[in-house]
Amino acid sequence: MDLTLTDAPPSEAERDAVDRVLGPPASGWDGGARDSTVDSRIAHGGHHARGRRHELLPALWAVQERAGFISPGALGYICRRLTVPPAEAYGVATFYALLSCEPRPPRVVHVCEDLACRCAGSQDLIAQLEEQVGPEGTLTADGAATWFRSPCLGQCDRAPAAMLTVAGDPATEDVLAPTSAGAVLAVLRGGRAPAPPGVAIPQQGDPSLRLLRRVGIVDPASLDDYRAAGGYQALRNAVSLGPEGVVREVKDARLMGRGGAAFPTGVKWEAVARQSARPHYLICNADESEPGTFKDRAIIEGDPYALVEAMTIAGYATGSEHGFIYLRGEYPAAHHALHHAIAEARSRGLLGADVMGEGFAFDLEIRKGAGAYICGEETAIFNSIEGLRGEPRNKPPFPVTHGVFAKPTAINNVETLVNVLEILSRGGPGYAETGTEASTGTKLFCLSGHVERPGTYEVPFGATLRDLLDLAGGVAGGRPLQTILLGGAAGGFVRPDELDLPLTMEGARAANATLGSGVIMAFDDTVDLPRLLMRIAAFFRSESCGQCVPCRVGTVRQQEAVARLLSGRTRGGVDGELALIAELGQVMRDASICGLGQTASSAIESAITRLGVFSGGAR
Amino acid sequence: MTPLLPKRMIEVEIDGTPVRVFEGQTLLDACRKVGVDTPTLCYGDTLEPKNACRVCVVEVEGARVLAPSCSRKAEAGMKVRTDSDRVRHSRRMVMELLTSSVDLSTTPDAAGYAERYDARPDRYGPAAAPNPDRDRLRAGHHVEPDGDTAATVASALKDDNELYVRDYGKCILCYKCVDACGSQHQNTFAISIAGRGFDARISTEHAIELPESACVYCGNCIQVCPTGALMFRSEHEHRAAGTWDEAAQTVTKTICPYCGVGCNVELHVQHNEIVKVTSPADHDVTRGNLCIKGRFGFQHVQRR
């Protein structure tokens, strides 16, 4: 490939940041100092050089973290190192909200403006920032900091939330949750972030807990403590069963994916294991970005070895030697915990070329997302890992045959994977005794908004919405419940009279609702529902990848229609706007490439049809 | 390309009519074989289908969502509806969404499709003022609209070289120019999609001007552009002056005189002046592609 690069050189810091991720350049051909005695005789390029494309996102992250933005010189150097055309690298960099190709100060605070944080006063917080600093993107007086609005940061149990990123060497990332305008202003002025909140779950110590039983109790940094608490027994059981035996147990358990689509995990694993094409890959989807979702964070921060062990089992069962954990970029504490756990497991022979001396290889690599909800879509993850724009692919072909790097790929959500530990401890049939016939096992739910005790909860499938609300202490302050958002922004609203809804896959389906990612967000009677819908519409407009017309333009037209309903300046009256929203919803559902577009209208439409918002129902 | 081995034939049903197609052919191929006229915008027969515009969607019996006929491979026994209410709805809405956000005045067929499906783009309100910063928009951020006007992709004409102009206010983001510039045809990679969502746009790195970029002016992007967003300077100037007259044009197919490859060129001549050059897409060597000489090197012919 004949690269045309601009003359802008990288700074020493940018070059160093890239070289730390990619290693030093091998020759003048890939960005090193030119040595005419060698470089004029040997050309390093071709497939080998282009084969490093998947390192593009880590390299862009390295520069972003060191310099605070990606300058033309830095982008050019990355392109030289990886043999990537600069236009394509720019296309990738500008796809992600946490990367910037425009100059940015080193210190940036991302302030959550999403649903749960709204219930906790984020709008006031943002108004104060606008008053004291200026609109988002305004530099502080010293020019060293700025702030931006952010979609859901996954900290809804401790809202309102913000994330501070400070570029440098080392770069730091800290979550501020719960936070306040004063605290955000303090870090904008250069103050240190307060110590990160510890992992806590409201049910801590409850003996009925399974997936969460170690969270908050066992030291997440200690492999010995994890083993003492039963860790790595499941992997031993797996090895004694053999790969087919593991798949059989998972099928007997009737485990269904917890990411939202509820696909049978055993069927997926079996299909991947049977593919003759090699290598196979395993990917853990830890990009939970659905507004109101934070359950995977609780597991990764509180019990990271569980995920490492579960993925090792999944790798063993599917014949994958390499696993990726695609972790959302807004989870610094989870990243740290997981990074440590992987290193520990590797040093003890629990990952690597010969896992536990059992003769199979498996290793793990974290890939850090960079602020794109769409990268929770499985095929978008493949593209993101490969160093392409995180746009979903058309299906078919499906991931089991053509996944990441066009190889057979098993991709599962964090919660799905850790369930496998339970299955191998209890046996598939034993696992299936919990829950209902069609929804086996336990389920994690993310309670947030106006509830007394927000947090991650675990209950057997079959519990009702009321049970969960009661577990969380009911509506905060005893106020009347206005509505519950079930399943996240891609889910739907349900009424206060529907609390007996059984939270199972089949129960939700029968009620024309979805469990989605397990979001249960309660809103009391003070919430301005139309404004909330405007935020949901804005979310999908911001997060659409832009690939297909129904979603790219439909999410904009949907937002404009909601805006008109808010302003009262409707076209064709309220009924006309509601009809328009329904028409937009149908084309997005029918004709979008992926699940984002297909669900971009579901919450808004449910508020209209189920709650009667805009037509005299809920206020 | 001609298949080297005999391929299996499979049978599908299009609107109740059985049709046999080669394994590997698409539903669009099947539709065309039975004479069902299917609208397409982003489809280009020399490129891998990108299925981004979704105007060609059809309803496959038993499927939850509609399928893009341009890329969905026919499978034995598929029963396909091309004119159901759902199909008509999606096609109408796609045309409404595009017409209300993009200048389709030079997109052949767009007006016809909009009329066929009864699209009413006006109902989204008057067009919003163009955003002068479209090249610098941040992913994941936008200014909240008031709904009084409809956002569009209108942006300033990019007029930075002697040979062609780029008017991305006419761009439907079909990805064809990117694919033609990249690995599918030219392997130059001068352009990519930048940004995200409604703010996604075709761009060079850092939106630098074409002469600074990797562009080699092969014009293969113009060849595949379905909207006129990429246009020969000569065509652009004629259109601006109101002198563009396709009815008065002749197309002469000849062979490029510059080298020995022998690419076919089609000279579009208006009033004895070459106004643009294309290349036959069905030519099995060049597939519509040319180099800068064949595409733009025609001035010497008309020096007088």
Side-chain angles (χ1 to χ4, degrees), chain A residues 12 22 38 51 102 129 152 157 269 275 279 281 298 302 336 361 408 432 436 467 478 487 540 544 605:
Chain A
E12 274 313 306
L22 303 181
V38 180
E102 303 292 320
L129 291 179
C152 183
D157 51 341
W269 286 12
Q275 297 299 318
Y281 288 100
H336 183 262
T436 65
D467 295 337
F540 283 109
S544 168
E605 286 196 80

Side-chain angles (χ1 to χ4, degrees), chain A residues 88-296:
Chain A
E88 288 200 358
Y90 181 76
V92 172
T94 54
F95 185 81
Y96 297 99
L98 292 179
L99 305 180
S100 176
C101 288
E102 303 292 320
R104 257 188 207 177
R107 192 170 268 266
V108 177
V109 180
H110 303 269
V111 181
C112 180
E113 60 165 341
D114 235 317
L115 309 174
C117 285
R118 274 172 187 254
C119 294
S122 64
Q123 291 311 97
D124 287 347
L125 195 163
I126 285 171
Q128 287 187 57
L129 291 179
E130 284 176 334
E131 191 188 311
Q132 303 213 20
V133 182
E136 61 170 343
T138 310
L139 296 185
T140 51
D142 62 359
T146 190
W147 73 281
F148 290 110
R149 295 162 182 267
S150 167
C152 183
L153 291 169
Q155 306 286 343
C156 319
D157 51 341
R158 39 203 193 203
M163 182 176 71
L164 167 69
T165 59
V166 184
D169 182 24
T172 61
E173 290 171 341
D174 291 282
V175 166
L176 315 175
T179 191
S180 63
V184 170
L185 286 167
V187 297
L188 279 172
R189 288 192 202 100
R192 291 175 69 89
V199 188
I201 51 163
Q203 290 167 297
Q204 201 160 301
D206 183 335
S208 71
L209 291 183
R210 295 184 181 181
L211 309 178
L212 297 179
R213 70 175 182 276
R214 285 181 291 258
V215 175
I217 292 180
V218 175
D219 178 4
S222 168
L223 179 53
D224 291 330
D225 288 8
Y226 176 69
R227 292 178 106 160
Y232 279 99
Q233 193 53 51
L235 180 57
R236 294 208 176 281
N237 296 348
V239 170
S240 65
L241 288 169
E244 291 88 9
V246 174
V247 169
R248 192 174 56 240
E249 294 296 326
V250 175
K251 285 176 87 174
D252 285 350
R254 303 198 299 279
L255 174 65
M256 282 180 302
R258 305 292 200 243
F263 191 83
T265 305
V267 174
K268 187 188 282 185
W269 286 12
E270 186 170 52
V272 173
R274 284 183 178 170
Q275 297 299 318
S276 54
R278 297 277 157 174
H280 297 176
Y281 288 100
L282 172 71
I283 297 177
C284 169
N285 183 348
D287 192 59
E288 61 171 359
S289 310
E290 184 70 45
T293 315
F294 45 87
K295 63 187 173 65
D296 294 344

Side-chain angles (χ1 to χ4, degrees), chain A residues 1-6 70-73 75-76 85-92 94-97 100-102 104 136-137 148-151 370-374 389 391 394-396 531 534-535 537-539 541-554 556-557 559-561 563-564 566-567 569 571 579-580 582-584 586-587 589-594 598, chain B residues 50-54 57 64-68 71-72 75 85-87 89-98 100-102 120 122-126 128 135-153 171-175 178 182-183 187-201 203-208 212-215:
Chain A
M1 189 184 297
D2 189 15
L3 293 181
T4 303
L5 298 167
T6 55
I70 299 157
S71 69
L75 191 85
E88 288 200 358
Y90 181 76
V92 172
T94 54
F95 185 81
Y96 297 99
S100 176
C101 288
E102 303 292 320
R104 257 188 207 177
E136 61 170 343
F148 290 110
R149 295 162 182 267
S150 167
Y373 170 70
I374 187 58
R389 289 165 54 84
E391 295 170 351
N394 221 49
K395 289 188 276 195
R531 284 297 322 170
M534 189 66 188
R535 172 56 209 156
F539 177 79
R541 185 237 168 108
S542 274
E543 299 299 334
S544 168
C545 79
Q547 202 178 186
C548 67
V549 172
C551 175
R552 179 176 78 232
V553 189
V556 174
R557 296 290 178 253
Q559 186 190 18
E560 289 166 351
R564 289 193 292 273
L566 250 67
S567 71
R569 294 190 296 275
R571 300 177 66 85
L580 181 63
E583 288 185 41
L584 289 165
Q586 194 184 332
V587 69
R589 216 164 26 248
D590 277 349
S592 295
I593 292 176
C594 80
Q598 289 162 17
Chain B
K50 184 68 193 168
N51 55 73
C53 77
R54 318 301 279 186
V57 288
R64 183 175 52 90
V65 293
L66 304 180
S71 65
R72 176 60 60 83
E75 292 166 29
D85 287 348
R86 281 175 81 192
V87 169
H89 177 81
S90 278
R91 290 180 180 178
R92 170 169 67 86
M93 293 300 284
V94 165
M95 290 315 300
E96 280 188 7
L97 295 174
L98 279 177
S100 65
S101 61
V102 185
R120 290 177 295 132
D122 296 345
R123 62 184 178 144
Y124 301 96
D135 282 340
R136 304 274 169 217
L137 292 174
R138 280 180 291 131
H141 292 80
H142 63 267
V143 176
E144 188 173 293
D146 58 15
D148 293 346
T149 55
T152 74
V153 298
C171 175
I172 60 167
L173 223 64
C174 68
Y175 290 60
V178 175
S183 59
N187 279 287
T188 287
F189 302 96
I191 47 173
S192 172
I193 311 279
R196 190 165 88 194
F198 192 71
D199 305 331
R201 63 265 173 194
S203 182
T204 55
E205 64 272 25
H206 309 286
I208 58 174
E212 314 295 317
S213 78
C215 178

Side-chain angles (χ1 to χ4, degrees), chain B residues 1 144 148 161 296:
Chain B
M1 273 186 265
E144 188 173 293
D148 293 346
N161 68 85
F296 292 109

